[in-house]
Amino acid sequence: MTPAISLDGITKRFPGVLANDDVDLTVERGTVHALLGENGAGKTTLMNVLYGLYEPTSGRIVVDGTERSFEKPQDAIDAGIGMIHQHFMLVDSMTVAENVTLGTEPRKWGGLAIDRDQARQDVVDLCERFGLAVDPETRISELSVGVQQRTEILKTLYRGTDVLILDEPTAVLTPQEIEELLSVFELLTDQGKTIIFITHKLGEAMQAADEITVLRDGRNVGTVDAEATTREELAELMVGREVLLEVETSSYDPGAVTLSVDDLTVTNEQGIDVVSDVSFTVRRGEVFGIAGVDGNGQSELIEAITGLRRPQAGVIELGDREITDDDRRERIDQGMAHIPADRHERGVVMDFDLVENGLLGSQHAEAFVNNGRIDWKRTREHTETIIEEYDVQPPNPDASASALSGGNQQKFIVGRELARDPQLVVATHPTRGVDIGSTEFIHERLLELRAAGVGVLLVSSKLEEVRGISDRLGVMYEGEFVDTVDPEAVTEEELGLLMAGEQPAQEVSADERE
Amino acid sequence: MRELPSLGRKTLGGVVVLALVGGVLSGFVDKNALSSTLRLSVPIAFAALGGIFAEKSGVINIGLEGHLIISAFVGIYATNLTGNVWIGFAAGVLASTLFAVVFAIVCLEFRADQIIAGLAVWLVALGLAPFLSTVIYESVNAGSAGFDPITIPGLSEIPVLGALFDAKPPVYLMLLAVVGSWYVLNYTAFGRWVHASGENPQALDTAGVSVKRVRYASVLLSGVLAGIGGASLSLSLGEFSGNGQTMVDGRGFIAIVVYLLGNYNPIGTFLSTTLFAGLQTAQIQLQSGYLPSSLVQTIPYITVIIVLAGVGRTRTPDAAGDHYESGEE
């Protein structure tokens, strides 16, 4: 059988960067093919070449046995290739049917009007044929992310796509939505469609794909059968060396309470309560994790704790001191380190060099002040220590933050924050957009602090992460803690339900009886 | 039930209330007042309709005032040259469209800041029209033949509403343009593309429609519509006056207020226009009373400010003012 897609020696060179280096890729018709690799491995570039967004420097694209060259996405669409980007290409204020038919609207009255009934019917038919449940009349802004994604899939199907490319489709979904997406994959392949999806998550690739191709540094380092491979094998292919997937945690021996949050209520800019009456404590020598789908109040909660947002009500204590009304500086002085969620927004100043960035947050600290002026010599030494200890690449204190990759920026921020000798570390998405190697490294550092008796408050939307290194795990939904669970005992399904605001039936009744 | 597209019930309600207020204030009591309100609405309504198309597609055309000025002058000049009001009218529209072409090229090809380019259009027209008038007529003011009213027998006899059937051609054109724009924006594929181009151009681009072409078309259309407004303004009177702010006197900026008030919906925008024009009518009538006339003249503007504050914020298209280049991340 002719493969649906066959890429032959694709090389894509950007000024100064070799993004794809002689990549071969064969995708069989009616299969799910995962493209696995770390950030910057060239996965998205390769798919953008296939989709006509980039022209390859050299190499051939063969679609269904015919060699093609794509100058623009429309050429790829005409050849039956559709791509769903990480950021959805939907108009929020339009309905599902309007979005699906955008650009190819069915017309009536000699083209003078859109045939709305036809458009709706087309979408209903498409939904039925592929077993997708979407209401064509709902506006995109009213839909959950999972359904928006399904709308994107409908959009490509409406244009007669045979090969569907999805860029990190699960990054924004809850575990249940991921399950649904994977069953959609099955429905589509049953109908003869071919799916290529980009991911850096091993588990997903193994679960959903028939075949997995691993990219590293722009090269294809191996295509394996998803049934036959192991997580360890894939991780090694991705990173190029053996990786410890299970984090070793030392015994759990928590000490005194370091952070105590009592009945905290926080409002957002619109004055709506986004955190309601939340109470919890973090003790020395433990990692307290907060899991939840993004946007359920985690960021406002963290902003209130770190002093970036004034809470409406409630008390926050650090050690034995109340810090509810303290500002950032006082909190830093009290030993609170913060790894912010958005490193560009709050972690580093992109135009500053590393020495200047290394000073951020410590500009008042006596160690860095000499006669009322900043002691740059001392700051430089400090920065060099961070760079060395945290293996920041390139190891150049005069490089500006923008010259570093995301993973290295993050390592630098983690290094700077942990160097404050804190009693509490508030880490939000500490490994977001960071590759496996650096993730492993950051986790190890956090666990070292835990072993040294520091309290760690960890917020992450990655389930693996919060389950892997937390000792206790609070699940947030719509501004409240649905439950606090033991991350080792809870299953992924239970956690998924909690994140969707539902108490697993049995546990609720057990709690209520007590 | 099919709801009125993109005209939220709240907005609709608000605008109806406003139009009623305007109606009462303008004294919708006689045919003359309505007639005057409609006449004063023409340039504002056309400029506002043009502004809607441009801004909905993602290009903020703040230079509507300039389009009105240049078309007002060229309309008069070409009428004098040819002796035909309609040819003069067409020439005025053409002049405004040429300005729009330049504006579109500067914004879409050279990625100029839309606000600055728009202000340049205004300033160029503000200087150019009186200058040309001085060169040609040796005065910043010029006169020519103007439109004659078209009176529809019978219908024009209806009390008050008869004003709708006893007017100069631009008034009829305006009513057609309002309904036509509403139809195009809500029922045609082009209207949908305009909407998508202003909200999420990437979505439109990936759907295989050229964002640039949609934006060119929308900006040119804004030039055509504003040109009709400007030529109508001068040719209804048969004169162009270029003193100070020229005879256009800020109508192009009022148009922006008006379409924001009308929430980018042509019908809502027209109702807001009549509110403003109605206030202007009332103001003219009040000037013969006790209040100092300079104070009375501010009534329409003050009312608009109050109304704007009361109605609250209009949501502008997400991508309005942003450059978009296909293939860029």
Side-chain angles (χ1 to χ4, degrees), chain A residues 231-244:
Chain A
R231 290 173 67 90
E232 286 70 21
E233 183 192 8
L234 286 176
E236 206 177 321
L237 279 173
M238 277 169 79
V239 183
R241 62 178 166 83
E242 225 176 305
V243 179
L244 289 172

Side-chain angles (χ1 to χ4, degrees), chain A residues 9-25:
Chain A
I10 295 289
T11 297
K12 176 66 190 174
R13 193 185 296 274
F14 293 109
V17 185
L18 188 58
N20 287 141
D21 184 7
D22 195 19
V23 180
D24 296 338
L25 177 71

Side-chain angles (χ1 to χ4, degrees), chain B residues 183-210:
Chain B
Y183 179 85
V184 167
L185 283 172
N186 290 305
Y187 291 96
T188 66
F190 175 71
R192 194 162 286 170
W193 299 346
V194 168
H195 183 87
S197 160
E199 291 289 344
N200 188 348
Q202 263 189 304
L204 188 66
D205 197 22
T206 49
V209 179
S210 161

Side-chain angles (χ1 to χ4, degrees), chain A residues 112-353:
Chain A
L112 283 178
I114 295 170
D115 190 339
R116 293 175 189 228
D117 296 328
Q118 184 66 44
R120 183 173 49 231
Q121 196 53 47
D122 286 350
V123 175
V124 170
D125 290 349
L126 213 54
C127 286
E128 268 174 27
R129 188 171 146 213
F130 292 100
L132 299 165
V134 183
D135 172 25
E137 296 291 292
T138 316
R139 282 189 203 285
I140 298 299
S141 51
E142 290 161 20
L143 294 175
S144 70
V145 177
V147 183
Q148 290 187 7
Q149 188 172 53
R150 235 174 287 162
T151 308
E152 279 279 23
I153 295 175
L154 282 173
K155 219 170 114 181
T156 53
L157 293 173
Y158 185 74
R159 287 163 174 72
T161 293
D162 285 321
V163 180
L164 205 62
I165 307 167
L166 295 101
D167 190 357
E168 305 253 1
T170 60
V172 286
L173 303 181
T174 62
Q176 269 75 21
E177 286 175 326
I178 293 177
E179 287 295 321
E180 284 172 38
L181 176 69
L182 299 188
S183 62
V184 168
F185 282 4
E186 264 175 51
L187 289 165
L188 292 175
T189 47
D190 284 350
Q191 303 250 357
K193 305 287 181 192
T194 308
I195 291 170
I196 306 175
F197 77 102
I198 299 175
T199 183
H200 59 239
K201 295 180 188 159
L202 300 172
E204 249 167 53
M206 291 180 64
Q207 192 187 352
D210 300 306
E211 280 195 305
I212 304 170
T213 293
V214 183
L215 291 189
R216 186 174 76 229
D217 298 332
R219 282 175 298 118
N220 179 345
V221 289
T223 298
V224 294
D225 184 341
E227 296 278 315
T229 188
T230 61
R231 290 173 67 90
E232 286 70 21
E233 183 192 8
L234 286 176
E236 206 177 321
L237 279 173
M238 277 169 79
V239 183
R241 62 178 166 83
E242 225 176 305
V243 179
L244 289 172
L245 288 174
E246 297 295 317
V247 197
E248 292 282 322
T249 50
S250 52
S251 60
Y252 176 46
D253 180 23
V257 170
T258 169
L259 175 75
S260 133
V261 172
D262 207 15
D263 283 336
L264 193 70
T265 297
V266 186
T267 56
N268 65 4
E269 284 76 8
Q270 284 79 39
I272 298 161
D273 285 3
V274 282
V275 176
S276 327
D277 288 340
V278 167
S279 303
F280 66 92
T281 56
V282 181
R283 299 168 68 180
R284 284 180 171 272
E286 79 165 353
V287 177
F288 184 86
I290 297 178
V293 180
D294 277 359
N296 274 289
Q298 298 97 315
S299 41
E300 287 84 359
L301 174 65
I302 293 302
E303 284 173 4
I305 291 172
T306 53
L308 294 165
R309 184 185 288 268
R310 188 165 289 275
Q312 199 66 19
V315 177
I316 306 168
E317 284 173 36
L318 183 64
D320 42 17
R321 173 186 159 134
E322 186 185 335
I323 57 162
T324 318
D325 296 319
D326 287 1
D327 59 23
R328 274 292 298 150
R329 181 175 161 186
E330 284 166 314
R331 287 178 211 224
I332 292 172
D333 292 344
Q334 292 299 309
M336 180 192 284
H338 178 36
I339 302 168
D342 186 338
R343 57 175 162 266
H344 294 168
E345 188 83 18
R346 287 186 169 151
V348 288
V349 178
M350 297 296 269
D351 296 337
F352 278 14
D353 61 31

Side-chain angles (χ1 to χ4, degrees), chain B residues 40-323:
Chain B
L40 289 167
S41 293
V42 170
I44 301 174
F46 274 112
L49 291 175
I52 290 177
F53 276 99
E55 190 157 331
K56 264 191 99 94
S57 82
V59 182
I60 301 170
N61 188 352
I62 207 172
L64 294 168
E65 177 88 358
H67 292 280
L68 290 176
I69 295 173
I70 200 68
S71 52
F73 172 74
V74 172
I76 294 291
Y77 175 56
T79 301
N80 278 333
L81 275 188
T82 61
N84 182 314
V85 181
W86 284 103
I87 294 177
F89 182 76
V93 174
L94 186 67
S96 161
T97 310
L98 285 177
F99 269 57
V101 170
V102 174
F103 175 68
I105 290 175
V106 165
C107 287
L108 298 175
E109 301 297 339
F110 301 112
R111 311 176 60 129
D113 186 286
Q114 294 167 7
I115 301 299
I116 293 174
L119 286 176
V121 167
W122 169 47
L123 291 170
V124 167
L126 184 64
L128 190 62
F131 169 72
L132 289 176
S133 179
T134 313
V135 168
I136 298 164
Y137 299 107
E138 292 174 355
S139 157
V140 292
N141 303 323
S144 76
F147 282 121
D148 294 322
I150 300 176
T151 309
I152 298 169
L155 289 172
S156 58
E157 306 298 323
I158 303 171
V160 185
L161 288 178
L164 285 166
F165 305 100
D166 183 7
K168 292 187 177 172
V171 171
Y172 300 113
L173 281 179
M174 168 178 71
L175 299 174
L176 282 177
V178 168
V179 176
S181 301
W182 175 73
Y183 179 85
V184 167
L185 283 172
N186 290 305
Y187 291 96
T188 66
F190 175 71
R192 194 162 286 170
W193 299 346
V194 168
H195 183 87
S197 160
E199 291 289 344
N200 188 348
Q202 263 189 304
L204 188 66
D205 197 22
T206 49
V209 179
S210 161
V211 173
K212 206 176 245 182
R213 277 163 72 173
V214 170
R215 289 190 171 176
Y216 263 115
S218 302
V219 173
L220 292 201
L221 196 53
S222 85
V224 170
L225 287 165
I228 296 176
S232 298
L233 176 66
S234 60
L235 289 172
S236 291
L237 298 168
E239 65 173 55
F240 172 80
S241 63
N243 285 317
Q245 302 301 305
T246 76
M247 69 192 302
V248 175
D249 196 20
R251 286 179 174 84
F253 293 108
I254 293 293
I256 295 173
V257 173
V258 155
Y259 72 69
L260 290 176
L261 197 56
N263 204 13
Y264 301 93
N265 180 298
I267 308 281
T269 298
F270 176 63
L271 293 177
S272 320
T273 309
T274 54
L275 161 73
F276 189 80
L279 287 166
Q280 203 108 51
T281 305
Q283 174 256 116
I284 293 166
Q285 285 176 354
L286 279 174
Q287 275 184 29
S288 44
Y290 312 102
L291 290 166
S293 67
S294 53
L295 192 65
V296 171
Q297 278 170 13
T298 63
I299 290 177
Y301 302 94
I302 290 172
T303 314
V304 164
I305 290 171
I306 293 169
V307 167
L308 267 184
V311 166
R313 216 176 291 159
T314 316
R315 203 191 71 88
T316 52
D318 271 351
D322 294 345
H323 295 291

